[in-house]
Amino acid sequence: MRVIICGAGQVGYGIAERLAAEGNDVSVIDMSSDLIEIVGDTLDVRGFVGHGAHPDMLEKAGADQADMIIAVTLFDEVNIVACEVAHALFNVPTKIARIRAQSYLQSHYQDLFSREHMPIDVIISPELEVGEMVLRRIALPGVTDVVRLCDDKVAVLAIECLEDCPVVHTQLAQLTSMFPDLNATVMAVVHDGKLAVAHSSDQLMPGDVAYVATPSAQIARTLALFGHEEPEATRIVIAGGGNIGLYVAQTIEERQPRTKVKVIESSLRRANSIADDLHRSLVLHGSALDQKLLREAEIEDADLIVALTNDDQVNMLASVMAKRLGCKSNLVLINNPDYLDIAKSLGIDAQISPRSVTISRVLQHVRRGRIRAVHSIENGKAEIIEAEALETSPLVGATLSELDLPDGLRIGEIYRNGELIKPQGSTRIKPRDRVVLFATAETVKQVEQMFRVSLEFF
């Protein structure tokens, strides 16, 4: 696939890194010569210094032969125009744009990006995507990552195994006989920092993080099985009143009327603005690093601090300080991927990477075959995928035990006609089944082939 990426920031670089590693033909455009130099020196891509929306730059980058343009610069208008030019002059088939300004995304303007007006195929709103991820994490204490699939019927949870976890030191194969009515499958395990596919002979150890596919109706029981029965947070402090912080606070007000929210915002102007937009939440002006202000927010009685400022270091330090002052748990927004691996050692319970959330949304549309959803995990080491099996798929017909599946792949759930099926050796996948699976980065190409439409299908 030939792809043009406009924007070489953290998101653009991350997308280019993933696509180049998979053998795609990638060109990156950015105004910063320094960023393009880094891209050219570290990735197998072509870099171009210039304006991503200018026709001559798109032409130099090969827009006349491109299959896709992904516009993720810092400016919405540049992203919009880049997609328009790619469509009008070069007839690029698929156009993806990152749009941050919520004004463009209001429901009564939903036709704005239609083919008749501004022909953009996929709009990605990082604030909304990250905001929803934050809300899902808040709703599931004890979970370090979560993705909802199959019309919200399936959840894949990343769960840390505690010392008193009932399933530790037990072979995974025995869990089915011990809990026969629990339709949950351990797909992958992080042990000593290393991510690997789970096998029936594996044993979970304290400190491991298990990626578990489970019916949404059995989430509470699955968490209890792994030693997590933490109550949902009802006293929440949000550090950062930007777009994400405001969205989270407003949504909690709408969905959880009994939850008390306090927002700390460093800008007086912004604090006054969001105070007008919120009805029950208390807005405090000042720094989340000010211990006096944290105490004013009654952090010692809080169930959770959610750090959502634009500064990773402020988010991490404020969250650590909050726990030392008595806050029960923390959830931290981290943009810099270099910080993700050290977060846990600092006392951070859960983290969210806007970069990973955005890349996951892009990959959903980059992936070939009937791929319905993609969630990138462990800083791009693997993906949780929901895919639809067609009649021509090699998965259809044979039992799972008869299939020669790649080593880096494990099936977690099968969704058929509104019903969930736990995969076993005797299970057969049927056409139109939706399959939830774990795939390492090295296995993704094989997964795409399994779910592609072959010519004989027509």
PDB file of all heavy atoms in Angstrom, residues 394-395 398-407 409 446 450:
ATOM      1  N   PRO A 394      -9.720 -18.885   5.071  1.00  0.00           N
ATOM      2  CA  PRO A 394      -9.168 -20.199   5.446  1.00  0.00           C
ATOM      3  C   PRO A 394      -9.565 -20.628   6.858  1.00  0.00           C
ATOM      4  O   PRO A 394      -9.388 -21.780   7.228  1.00  0.00           O
ATOM      5  CB  PRO A 394      -7.649 -19.971   5.350  1.00  0.00           C
ATOM      6  CG  PRO A 394      -7.459 -18.500   5.477  1.00  0.00           C
ATOM      7  CD  PRO A 394      -8.662 -17.876   4.851  1.00  0.00           C
ATOM      8  N   LEU A 395     -10.123 -19.699   7.640  1.00  0.00           N
ATOM      9  CA  LEU A 395     -10.567 -20.053   8.988  1.00  0.00           C
ATOM     10  C   LEU A 395     -11.890 -20.803   8.981  1.00  0.00           C
ATOM     11  O   LEU A 395     -12.220 -21.513   9.938  1.00  0.00           O
ATOM     12  CB  LEU A 395     -10.734 -18.785   9.837  1.00  0.00           C
ATOM     13  CG  LEU A 395      -9.477 -17.964  10.140  1.00  0.00           C
ATOM     14  CD1 LEU A 395      -9.864 -16.724  10.922  1.00  0.00           C
ATOM     15  CD2 LEU A 395      -8.471 -18.787  10.917  1.00  0.00           C
ATOM     16  N   ALA A 398     -12.953 -25.727   9.023  1.00  0.00           N
ATOM     17  CA  ALA A 398     -12.207 -26.651   9.878  1.00  0.00           C
ATOM     18  C   ALA A 398     -12.381 -26.280  11.345  1.00  0.00           C
ATOM     19  O   ALA A 398     -12.749 -25.158  11.686  1.00  0.00           O
ATOM     20  CB  ALA A 398     -10.731 -26.634   9.497  1.00  0.00           C
ATOM     21  N   THR A 399     -12.135 -27.252  12.223  1.00  0.00           N
ATOM     22  CA  THR A 399     -12.143 -26.939  13.657  1.00  0.00           C
ATOM     23  C   THR A 399     -10.894 -26.122  13.983  1.00  0.00           C
ATOM     24  O   THR A 399      -9.889 -26.162  13.264  1.00  0.00           O
ATOM     25  CB  THR A 399     -12.152 -28.215  14.500  1.00  0.00           C
ATOM     26  OG1 THR A 399     -10.927 -28.937  14.273  1.00  0.00           O
ATOM     27  CG2 THR A 399     -13.343 -29.096  14.137  1.00  0.00           C
ATOM     28  N   LEU A 400     -10.933 -25.397  15.084  1.00  0.00           N
ATOM     29  CA  LEU A 400      -9.783 -24.572  15.461  1.00  0.00           C
ATOM     30  C   LEU A 400      -8.544 -25.421  15.705  1.00  0.00           C
ATOM     31  O   LEU A 400      -7.418 -24.995  15.423  1.00  0.00           O
ATOM     32  CB  LEU A 400     -10.117 -23.750  16.706  1.00  0.00           C
ATOM     33  CG  LEU A 400     -11.205 -22.676  16.560  1.00  0.00           C
ATOM     34  CD1 LEU A 400     -11.353 -21.882  17.845  1.00  0.00           C
ATOM     35  CD2 LEU A 400     -10.910 -21.738  15.393  1.00  0.00           C
ATOM     36  N   SER A 401      -8.735 -26.627  16.220  1.00  0.00           N
ATOM     37  CA  SER A 401      -7.582 -27.505  16.466  1.00  0.00           C
ATOM     38  C   SER A 401      -6.941 -27.983  15.164  1.00  0.00           C
ATOM     39  O   SER A 401      -5.761 -28.328  15.145  1.00  0.00           O
ATOM     40  CB  SER A 401      -8.011 -28.709  17.309  1.00  0.00           C
ATOM     41  OG  SER A 401      -8.998 -29.470  16.630  1.00  0.00           O
ATOM     42  N   GLU A 402      -7.716 -27.982  14.066  1.00  0.00           N
ATOM     43  CA  GLU A 402      -7.190 -28.416  12.768  1.00  0.00           C
ATOM     44  C   GLU A 402      -6.495 -27.285  12.019  1.00  0.00           C
ATOM     45  O   GLU A 402      -5.730 -27.535  11.083  1.00  0.00           O
ATOM     46  CB  GLU A 402      -8.328 -28.966  11.900  1.00  0.00           C
ATOM     47  CG  GLU A 402      -8.955 -30.245  12.445  1.00  0.00           C
ATOM     48  CD  GLU A 402     -10.224 -30.636  11.698  1.00  0.00           C
ATOM     49  OE1 GLU A 402     -10.817 -29.759  11.021  1.00  0.00           O
ATOM     50  OE2 GLU A 402     -10.632 -31.810  11.807  1.00  0.00           O
ATOM     51  N   LEU A 403      -6.747 -26.047  12.407  1.00  0.00           N
ATOM     52  CA  LEU A 403      -6.168 -24.904  11.711  1.00  0.00           C
ATOM     53  C   LEU A 403      -4.704 -24.719  12.096  1.00  0.00           C
ATOM     54  O   LEU A 403      -4.316 -24.907  13.245  1.00  0.00           O
ATOM     55  CB  LEU A 403      -6.944 -23.628  12.050  1.00  0.00           C
ATOM     56  CG  LEU A 403      -8.383 -23.544  11.551  1.00  0.00           C
ATOM     57  CD1 LEU A 403      -9.068 -22.302  12.105  1.00  0.00           C
ATOM     58  CD2 LEU A 403      -8.424 -23.519  10.015  1.00  0.00           C
ATOM     59  N   ASP A 404      -3.910 -24.350  11.121  1.00  0.00           N
ATOM     60  CA  ASP A 404      -2.490 -24.071  11.360  1.00  0.00           C
ATOM     61  C   ASP A 404      -2.333 -22.564  11.597  1.00  0.00           C
ATOM     62  O   ASP A 404      -1.895 -21.815  10.735  1.00  0.00           O
ATOM     63  CB  ASP A 404      -1.656 -24.510  10.161  1.00  0.00           C
ATOM     64  CG  ASP A 404      -0.159 -24.359  10.408  1.00  0.00           C
ATOM     65  OD1 ASP A 404       0.229 -24.270  11.591  1.00  0.00           O
ATOM     66  OD2 ASP A 404       0.604 -24.307   9.418  1.00  0.00           O
ATOM     67  N   LEU A 405      -2.725 -22.131  12.796  1.00  0.00           N
ATOM     68  CA  LEU A 405      -2.701 -20.709  13.112  1.00  0.00           C
ATOM     69  C   LEU A 405      -1.275 -20.256  13.429  1.00  0.00           C
ATOM     70  O   LEU A 405      -0.481 -21.020  13.985  1.00  0.00           O
ATOM     71  CB  LEU A 405      -3.610 -20.416  14.300  1.00  0.00           C
ATOM     72  CG  LEU A 405      -5.109 -20.691  14.095  1.00  0.00           C
ATOM     73  CD1 LEU A 405      -5.866 -20.459  15.390  1.00  0.00           C
ATOM     74  CD2 LEU A 405      -5.664 -19.830  12.974  1.00  0.00           C
ATOM     75  N   PRO A 406      -0.932 -19.020  13.092  1.00  0.00           N
ATOM     76  CA  PRO A 406       0.406 -18.492  13.414  1.00  0.00           C
ATOM     77  C   PRO A 406       0.651 -18.499  14.916  1.00  0.00           C
ATOM     78  O   PRO A 406      -0.278 -18.390  15.720  1.00  0.00           O
ATOM     79  CB  PRO A 406       0.367 -17.060  12.865  1.00  0.00           C
ATOM     80  CG  PRO A 406      -0.758 -17.029  11.883  1.00  0.00           C
ATOM     81  CD  PRO A 406      -1.751 -18.033  12.358  1.00  0.00           C
ATOM     82  N   ASP A 407       1.916 -18.588  15.307  1.00  0.00           N
ATOM     83  CA  ASP A 407       2.271 -18.623  16.723  1.00  0.00           C
ATOM     84  C   ASP A 407       1.867 -17.347  17.454  1.00  0.00           C
ATOM     85  O   ASP A 407       1.604 -17.379  18.650  1.00  0.00           O
ATOM     86  CB  ASP A 407       3.779 -18.846  16.880  1.00  0.00           C
ATOM     87  CG  ASP A 407       4.196 -20.249  16.437  1.00  0.00           C
ATOM     88  OD1 ASP A 407       3.338 -21.147  16.444  1.00  0.00           O
ATOM     89  OD2 ASP A 407       5.377 -20.429  16.086  1.00  0.00           O
ATOM     90  N   LEU A 409      -0.791 -15.539  17.255  1.00  0.00           N
ATOM     91  CA  LEU A 409      -2.227 -15.254  17.174  1.00  0.00           C
ATOM     92  C   LEU A 409      -2.997 -16.121  18.166  1.00  0.00           C
ATOM     93  O   LEU A 409      -2.684 -17.297  18.345  1.00  0.00           O
ATOM     94  CB  LEU A 409      -2.731 -15.508  15.748  1.00  0.00           C
ATOM     95  CG  LEU A 409      -4.196 -15.237  15.434  1.00  0.00           C
ATOM     96  CD1 LEU A 409      -4.342 -14.828  13.963  1.00  0.00           C
ATOM     97  CD2 LEU A 409      -5.082 -16.461  15.696  1.00  0.00           C
ATOM     98  N   GLN A 446      -0.538 -11.674   8.282  1.00  0.00           N
ATOM     99  CA  GLN A 446      -1.207 -12.964   8.087  1.00  0.00           C
ATOM    100  C   GLN A 446      -2.686 -12.874   8.470  1.00  0.00           C
ATOM    101  O   GLN A 446      -3.543 -13.482   7.828  1.00  0.00           O
ATOM    102  CB  GLN A 446      -0.513 -14.047   8.919  1.00  0.00           C
ATOM    103  CG  GLN A 446       0.894 -14.374   8.421  1.00  0.00           C
ATOM    104  CD  GLN A 446       1.657 -15.239   9.401  1.00  0.00           C
ATOM    105  OE1 GLN A 446       2.318 -14.726  10.305  1.00  0.00           O
ATOM    106  NE2 GLN A 446       1.579 -16.549   9.237  1.00  0.00           N
ATOM    107  N   MET A 450      -6.095 -13.636   6.179  1.00  0.00           N
ATOM    108  CA  MET A 450      -7.169 -14.544   6.598  1.00  0.00           C
ATOM    109  C   MET A 450      -8.553 -13.947   6.381  1.00  0.00           C
ATOM    110  O   MET A 450      -9.524 -14.684   6.174  1.00  0.00           O
ATOM    111  CB  MET A 450      -7.010 -14.886   8.081  1.00  0.00           C
ATOM    112  CG  MET A 450      -5.812 -15.754   8.410  1.00  0.00           C
ATOM    113  SD  MET A 450      -5.711 -15.994  10.207  1.00  0.00           S
ATOM    114  CE  MET A 450      -4.167 -16.900  10.324  1.00  0.00           C
TER     115      MET A 450
END
